[in-house]
mmCIF file of all heavy atoms in Angstrom:
data_model
loop_
_atom_site.group_PDB
_atom_site.id
_atom_site.type_symbol
_atom_site.label_atom_id
_atom_site.label_comp_id
_atom_site.label_asym_id
_atom_site.label_seq_id
_atom_site.Cartn_x
_atom_site.Cartn_y
_atom_site.Cartn_z
ATOM 1 N N PRO A 66 -20.599 -17.922 14.033
ATOM 2 C CA PRO A 66 -19.249 -18.346 14.417
ATOM 3 C C PRO A 66 -18.548 -17.270 15.242
ATOM 4 O O PRO A 66 -18.793 -16.076 15.069
ATOM 5 C CB PRO A 66 -18.540 -18.552 13.081
ATOM 6 C CG PRO A 66 -19.291 -17.706 12.113
ATOM 7 C CD PRO A 66 -20.705 -17.623 12.612
ATOM 8 N N GLY A 67 -17.692 -17.704 16.134
ATOM 9 C CA GLY A 67 -16.948 -16.774 16.973
ATOM 10 C C GLY A 67 -15.773 -16.149 16.244
ATOM 11 O O GLY A 67 -15.311 -16.658 15.224
ATOM 12 N N TRP A 68 -15.328 -15.045 16.776
ATOM 13 C CA TRP A 68 -14.143 -14.367 16.247
ATOM 14 C C TRP A 68 -13.388 -13.842 17.444
ATOM 15 O O TRP A 68 -13.755 -12.836 18.037
ATOM 16 C CB TRP A 68 -14.543 -13.251 15.294
ATOM 17 C CG TRP A 68 -13.426 -12.396 14.793
ATOM 18 C CD1 TRP A 68 -12.144 -12.784 14.539
ATOM 19 C CD2 TRP A 68 -13.476 -10.998 14.493
ATOM 20 N NE1 TRP A 68 -11.395 -11.720 14.082
ATOM 21 C CE2 TRP A 68 -12.200 -10.602 14.047
ATOM 22 C CE3 TRP A 68 -14.474 -10.039 14.548
ATOM 23 C CZ2 TRP A 68 -11.903 -9.306 13.666
ATOM 24 C CZ3 TRP A 68 -14.175 -8.751 14.165
ATOM 25 C CH2 TRP A 68 -12.900 -8.393 13.724
ATOM 26 N N LYS A 69 -12.356 -14.560 17.850
ATOM 27 C CA LYS A 69 -11.617 -14.238 19.073
ATOM 28 C C LYS A 69 -10.647 -13.088 18.842
ATOM 29 O O LYS A 69 -9.976 -13.018 17.824
ATOM 30 C CB LYS A 69 -10.873 -15.475 19.575
ATOM 31 C CG LYS A 69 -10.201 -15.261 20.916
ATOM 32 C CD LYS A 69 -10.146 -16.547 21.702
ATOM 33 C CE LYS A 69 -9.414 -16.422 22.994
ATOM 34 N NZ LYS A 69 -9.821 -15.370 23.872
ATOM 35 N N TYR A 70 -10.575 -12.209 19.821
ATOM 36 C CA TYR A 70 -9.663 -11.068 19.792
ATOM 37 C C TYR A 70 -8.216 -11.547 19.758
ATOM 38 O O TYR A 70 -7.833 -12.423 20.515
ATOM 39 C CB TYR A 70 -9.905 -10.201 21.026
ATOM 40 C CG TYR A 70 -8.939 -9.055 21.193
ATOM 41 C CD1 TYR A 70 -8.970 -7.969 20.333
ATOM 42 C CD2 TYR A 70 -7.991 -9.066 22.207
ATOM 43 C CE1 TYR A 70 -8.088 -6.922 20.479
ATOM 44 C CE2 TYR A 70 -7.097 -8.014 22.368
ATOM 45 C CZ TYR A 70 -7.154 -6.942 21.492
ATOM 46 O OH TYR A 70 -6.284 -5.913 21.642
ATOM 47 N N ASN A 71 -7.423 -10.969 18.874
ATOM 48 C CA ASN A 71 -6.010 -11.307 18.746
ATOM 49 C C ASN A 71 -5.182 -10.163 19.318
ATOM 50 O O ASN A 71 -5.039 -9.116 18.687
ATOM 51 C CB ASN A 71 -5.655 -11.542 17.269
ATOM 52 C CG ASN A 71 -4.190 -11.829 17.049
ATOM 53 O OD1 ASN A 71 -3.397 -11.879 17.991
ATOM 54 N ND2 ASN A 71 -3.823 -12.020 15.798
ATOM 55 N N LYS A 72 -4.631 -10.350 20.513
ATOM 56 C CA LYS A 72 -3.831 -9.310 21.175
ATOM 57 C C LYS A 72 -2.620 -8.899 20.348
ATOM 58 O O LYS A 72 -2.154 -7.779 20.441
ATOM 59 C CB LYS A 72 -3.316 -9.808 22.533
ATOM 60 C CG LYS A 72 -4.364 -9.991 23.574
ATOM 61 C CD LYS A 72 -3.700 -10.490 24.859
ATOM 62 C CE LYS A 72 -4.741 -10.947 25.847
ATOM 63 N NZ LYS A 72 -4.145 -11.462 27.082
ATOM 64 N N ASN A 73 -2.108 -9.812 19.540
ATOM 65 C CA ASN A 73 -0.862 -9.576 18.801
ATOM 66 C C ASN A 73 -1.078 -9.373 17.305
ATOM 67 O O ASN A 73 -0.207 -9.708 16.506
ATOM 68 C CB ASN A 73 0.096 -10.753 19.033
ATOM 69 C CG ASN A 73 0.378 -10.952 20.500
ATOM 70 O OD1 ASN A 73 0.722 -10.017 21.198
ATOM 71 N ND2 ASN A 73 0.195 -12.170 20.981
ATOM 72 N N SER A 74 -2.199 -8.802 16.935
ATOM 73 C CA SER A 74 -2.513 -8.622 15.521
ATOM 74 C C SER A 74 -1.533 -7.666 14.845
ATOM 75 O O SER A 74 -1.488 -6.480 15.153
ATOM 76 C CB SER A 74 -3.939 -8.084 15.359
ATOM 77 O OG SER A 74 -4.171 -7.693 14.025
ATOM 78 N N ARG A 75 -0.768 -8.189 13.921
ATOM 79 C CA ARG A 75 0.148 -7.356 13.132
ATOM 80 C C ARG A 75 -0.638 -6.453 12.191
ATOM 81 O O ARG A 75 -0.259 -5.305 11.957
ATOM 82 C CB ARG A 75 1.102 -8.242 12.332
ATOM 83 C CG ARG A 75 2.069 -8.993 13.202
ATOM 84 C CD ARG A 75 2.915 -10.009 12.486
ATOM 85 N NE ARG A 75 3.159 -9.712 11.086
ATOM 86 C CZ ARG A 75 3.797 -10.531 10.270
ATOM 87 N NH1 ARG A 75 4.254 -11.681 10.688
ATOM 88 N NH2 ARG A 75 3.981 -10.221 9.009
ATOM 89 N N LEU A 76 -1.744 -6.972 11.667
ATOM 90 C CA LEU A 76 -2.569 -6.200 10.743
ATOM 91 C C LEU A 76 -3.185 -4.974 11.435
ATOM 92 O O LEU A 76 -3.218 -3.884 10.863
ATOM 93 C CB LEU A 76 -3.665 -7.103 10.164
ATOM 94 C CG LEU A 76 -4.459 -6.547 8.998
ATOM 95 C CD1 LEU A 76 -3.548 -6.212 7.813
ATOM 96 C CD2 LEU A 76 -5.529 -7.548 8.582
ATOM 97 N N ARG A 77 -3.641 -5.160 12.671
ATOM 98 C CA ARG A 77 -4.211 -4.032 13.429
ATOM 99 C C ARG A 77 -3.150 -2.961 13.664
ATOM 100 O O ARG A 77 -3.413 -1.770 13.510
ATOM 101 C CB ARG A 77 -4.807 -4.512 14.756
ATOM 102 C CG ARG A 77 -5.502 -3.397 15.533
ATOM 103 C CD ARG A 77 -6.134 -3.870 16.832
ATOM 104 N NE ARG A 77 -5.148 -4.431 17.737
ATOM 105 C CZ ARG A 77 -5.062 -5.723 18.058
ATOM 106 N NH1 ARG A 77 -5.918 -6.589 17.573
ATOM 107 N NH2 ARG A 77 -4.126 -6.168 18.874
ATOM 108 N N LYS A 78 -1.931 -3.383 14.007
ATOM 109 C CA LYS A 78 -0.845 -2.426 14.227
ATOM 110 C C LYS A 78 -0.519 -1.678 12.936
ATOM 111 O O LYS A 78 -0.320 -0.459 12.944
ATOM 112 C CB LYS A 78 0.395 -3.145 14.769
ATOM 113 C CG LYS A 78 0.209 -3.671 16.173
ATOM 114 C CD LYS A 78 1.390 -4.519 16.612
ATOM 115 C CE LYS A 78 1.093 -5.179 17.950
ATOM 116 N NZ LYS A 78 2.079 -6.216 18.267
ATOM 117 N N LEU A 79 -0.469 -2.385 11.811
ATOM 118 C CA LEU A 79 -0.189 -1.749 10.531
ATOM 119 C C LEU A 79 -1.262 -0.715 10.194
ATOM 120 O O LEU A 79 -0.956 0.410 9.783
ATOM 121 C CB LEU A 79 -0.102 -2.797 9.427
ATOM 122 C CG LEU A 79 0.170 -2.262 8.017
ATOM 123 C CD1 LEU A 79 1.148 -3.155 7.286
ATOM 124 C CD2 LEU A 79 -1.095 -2.099 7.219
#
Side-chain angles (χ1 to χ4, degrees):
W68 174 33
K69 186 149 176 52
Y70 174 70
N71 177 1
K72 291 180 191 179
N73 303 310
S74 170
R75 292 173 28 185
L76 191 59
R77 184 178 60 249
K78 291 173 187 168
L79 179 139

